[in-house]
Amino acid sequence: MRPNGRYAAGASQLSTLRMWATCLLVLSAVAMSPTTAKAAPSQAAATTHVYLLRGVLNIFSLGLDTIGARLQAQGIPVTVANFVSWSSLAEEAAANYRAGRVKTIVLVGHSSGATALPDMIAKLNRLGVPVKLAIGLDSVFKTKLTTGAERYINIYVGDGPGEPVRAASGFRGKLDNVDVRGSGVGHITIDKNEAIQRRVIAEIDAAIARSRGPVGPVAEPRAPRAARSAAAMAPTRN
């Protein structure tokens, strides 16, 4: 028996509605796809290079690998290496800077990797290369800055093996010593702490944002800021 005209028209409308519903679902899925929504890295991020220096034995600073992976996800090139490679890494960074492949250099180190940062900064400065930002995580021994990064942040555990970084006479740049005693982190865990990692990444992002604008003069020599309390490291909660 042939269907009447009213039934055929209704079936046709239902088929059309189903087709449109399917199209809307597909478009929604595409719009929500992380791959589609991911923004391309900025030019400033792409021309930045972050060097992350692990400490002794190369096995106690694996939190730097996590930081490196998160930076790479933002489109920021990174190199993770043991602190003993600081000199050759400085030469590599200088070559890339002179060739124009890198415009902003950031250094991060943990333990002995943090202790090596002033030496790496000094070598880069001798090679005519500025350092935008350096972050040390619980630098051990007596660490002194003789030449400067634009900004140097030393995050250390005041009641552990880490120590404040001192600025030598004639130091140019900005030095912050941040004491995180009482925050529950220790020398072995400071690089793996989520709040510390977020702080490091946020400081790197801010340095990259500053590099987009005109370069200002290096700050006049000043005494290091007083160590701040562990409360300054507490994560922000929304």
Side-chain angles (χ1 to χ4, degrees):
M1 182 172 66
R2 296 177 60 186
N4 60 36
R6 182 180 297 177
Y7 177 82
S12 176
Q13 290 175 351
L14 181 59
S15 177
T16 301
L17 288 173
R18 285 174 177 169
M19 181 185 69
W20 278 108
T22 302
C23 290
L24 287 172
L25 286 172
V26 171
L27 290 172
S28 298
V30 170
M32 295 174 64
S33 168
T35 301
T36 304
K38 186 176 181 180
S42 68
Q43 182 66 18
T47 55
T48 297
H49 201 104
V50 180
Y51 291 90
L52 301 114
L53 303 184
R54 297 194 194 110
V56 172
L57 301 181
N58 216 31
I59 59 174
F60 297 117
S61 305
L62 298 183
L64 296 185
D65 294 65
T66 303
I67 293 172
R70 292 181 177 182
L71 292 172
Q72 284 181 315
Q74 295 179 201
I76 303 171
V78 305
T79 296
V80 184
N82 188 248
F83 78 100
V84 296
S85 302
W86 68 264
S87 183
S88 61
L89 291 176
E91 292 172 359
E92 173 191 299
N96 288 330
Y97 182 83
R98 287 193 292 265
R101 291 186 292 270
V102 173
K103 295 181 180 179
T104 303
I105 293 175
V106 176
L107 311 178
V108 181
H110 170 236
S111 188
S112 294
T115 305
L117 292 184
D119 290 331
M120 189 169 178
I121 293 170
K123 181 164 185 173
L124 284 166
N125 288 174
R126 287 195 301 271
L127 294 172
V129 179
V131 176
K132 188 73 174 178
L133 172 68
I135 303 176
L137 300 178
D138 218 33
S139 179
V140 293
F141 307 116
K142 299 289 184 182
T143 306
K144 181 185 291 187
L145 282 172
T146 55
T147 57
E150 183 176 307
R151 189 177 184 203
Y152 192 109
I153 305 172
N154 175 49
I155 303 173
Y156 71 105
V157 185
D159 54 359
E163 297 183 358
V165 170
R166 295 174 297 140
S169 176
F171 166 76
R172 296 177 66 84
K174 183 179 181 182
L175 170 62
D176 286 327
N177 280 297
V178 183
D179 187 350
V180 294
R181 75 178 79 191
S183 64
V185 301
H187 182 71
I188 300 299
T189 61
I190 189 171
D191 61 305
K192 303 168 189 66
N193 180 269
E194 178 67 23
I196 300 288
Q197 290 185 352
R198 287 203 305 268
R199 168 71 184 270
V200 170
I201 293 170
E203 293 289 358
I204 293 172
D205 288 341
I208 292 172
R210 290 195 303 273
S211 71
R212 296 178 183 142
V215 178
V218 177
E220 291 298 322
R222 65 176 66 186
R225 288 186 178 183
R228 287 181 283 177
S229 66
M233 294 302 305
T236 303
R237 298 184 182 276
N238 294 325

